[in-house]
Amino acid sequence: MSERHRGLLPYLAVAALALIWGVSFLFIKIAVHDMSPIVLVLIRSASACVALALIVRAMGRPLFGGGWRRRIIPFALLGITGGLVPWGAIAWGEEHISSGLASILNSTTPLWTAVLVYWVIPSDRPSALNYAGVLIGFAGVVVLVVPDLAAKGLAGSTAGALAVVLASLSYAVNALYVRRKLRGVSIYEVSLGQLAATAFLAIPFAAPLLPSVHVALPSMGAVVALGVGGSAIGLLLYFYIMNTLGPVQATGVTLLVPVTAVIWGVILLQESLTLPIVIGMVVILTGVVLTNLRRRKGVQVSEKEPAAA
């Protein structure tokens, strides 16, 4: 593969991940009709863990590399900050607020990351132009979501909104921890470690509630789709982007999620594409482009152990 094509791969991964995560809030909304948020976390993480393990073995890779026992605590921290807390908080939040409001609050993740990275990882500090891109992208999300909120109202509570903000902050902490502590570890091992830890940590909270789960095909299909697509495949793409572009750019995918949600709505639900929506999408894409400018050179990506920028 040529150097030019290899340089495009992280951006193709961004597009693919945005498309995958674009339906996540819809799936969550469907799933919480028949199960509690913590049960959703357990089923989602367990199905994702099984799916990813099958993918890794099909590729002829070991499930975990050498020295994995030393990473039990790091994996546990990833399970808390990247699975247990944000997935549970978003699912609970969507019981109280609309999907539109949840998506705009979730898109604050790169803002939190851009603020925290300044002190946590000075070498990954974005440029002023990158910070401007994050703010422009967030403004585009506001433009995109406000018409829907104006028509349907907030449809929720302050507690639900704060829960999604907490999830966004947790995602930011997760991204920075991976970048700082696990940047030399295979993306397959990091993804599988996080998912296994999330499932394990969710068991004591979810087990007492399992008998009350209403088994319905739409909700079970939605949560398994979340696990296999949004988590198993999604985490591989996410950590790959993290290792090639950086934490701010990786979490910046959340700015694109409302855009892809609109695209899926037009394709699957025949929703209309209005002028405010188009303007919001253009502003978001402009912000994402600015966020990814001036990327540091010298990034080499290894298939086994991706190097950091």
Side-chain angles (χ1 to χ4, degrees):
M1 183 181 294
S2 69
E3 198 67 32
R4 180 182 178 183
H5 287 164
R6 181 173 298 181
L8 289 175
L9 285 179
Y11 300 100
L12 293 176
V14 168
L17 183 57
L19 285 170
I20 291 172
W21 282 355
V23 295
S24 294
F25 289 97
L26 174 61
F27 285 156
I28 292 171
K29 200 74 172 180
I30 294 172
V32 293
H33 278 301
D34 298 307
M35 64 188 72
S36 67
I38 192 61
V39 171
L40 182 151
V41 171
L42 175 60
I43 298 175
R44 176 180 179 177
S45 56
S47 60
C49 193
V50 171
L52 184 55
L54 292 174
I55 292 173
V56 171
R57 293 305 298 151
M59 296 174 68
R61 293 175 174 275
L63 293 182
F64 293 100
W68 63 269
R69 290 179 180 84
R70 298 195 305 270
R71 302 190 184 107
I72 290 178
I73 293 179
F75 287 157
L77 292 174
L78 293 186
I80 293 171
T81 59
L84 193 65
V85 170
W87 293 355
I90 290 174
W92 185 84
E94 286 207 50
E95 290 183 323
H96 303 277
I97 63 175
S98 67
S99 294
L101 181 56
S103 69
I104 190 172
L105 294 172
N106 183 65
S107 68
T108 62
T109 300
L111 296 178
W112 292 113
T113 308
V115 170
L116 295 176
V117 75
Y118 191 87
W119 292 280
V120 178
I121 313 178
S123 61
D124 277 343
R125 286 175 181 172
S127 66
L129 192 61
N130 297 151
Y131 276 111
V134 172
L135 294 175
I136 291 172
F138 182 70
V141 173
V142 174
V143 172
L144 190 66
V145 178
V146 159
D148 184 61
L149 295 181
K152 301 178 182 178
L154 294 180
S157 67
T158 301
L162 290 176
V164 181
V165 172
L166 173 64
S168 301
L169 178 58
S170 185
Y171 278 139
V173 171
N174 176 271
L176 295 176
Y177 184 80
V178 171
R179 182 68 165 177
R180 186 178 176 90
K181 299 295 186 179
L182 297 169
R183 65 168 63 193
V185 183
S186 165
I187 57 175
Y188 303 97
E189 186 173 347
V190 173
S191 300
L192 194 56
Q194 174 170 311
L195 291 172
T198 301
F200 180 79
L201 292 169
I203 289 174
F205 300 100
L209 302 175
L210 287 176
S212 64
V213 173
H214 177 230
V215 179
L217 185 59
S219 57
M220 292 303 296
V223 74
V224 171
L226 269 172
V228 176
S231 299
I233 297 174
L235 279 183
L236 287 179
L237 293 171
Y238 177 68
F239 289 132
Y240 170 69
I241 298 166
M242 179 88 63
N243 281 304
T244 53
L245 299 181
V248 175
Q249 289 79 5
T251 55
V253 173
T254 58
L255 294 172
L256 290 171
V257 168
V259 175
T260 55
V262 168
I263 293 173
W264 285 123
V266 171
I267 295 174
L268 301 178
L269 304 176
Q270 288 77 51
E271 295 178 345
S272 59
L273 193 63
T274 63
L275 181 59
I277 289 177
V278 172
I279 293 173
M281 292 169 67
V282 170
V283 174
I284 289 172
L285 293 174
T286 301
V288 170
V289 169
L290 293 177
T291 301
N292 285 280
L293 287 180
R294 295 183 180 180
R295 185 163 66 98
R296 291 181 177 87
K297 297 181 179 180
V299 176
Q300 299 295 329
V301 182
S302 165
E303 188 179 1
K304 273 192 171 183
E305 294 186 355

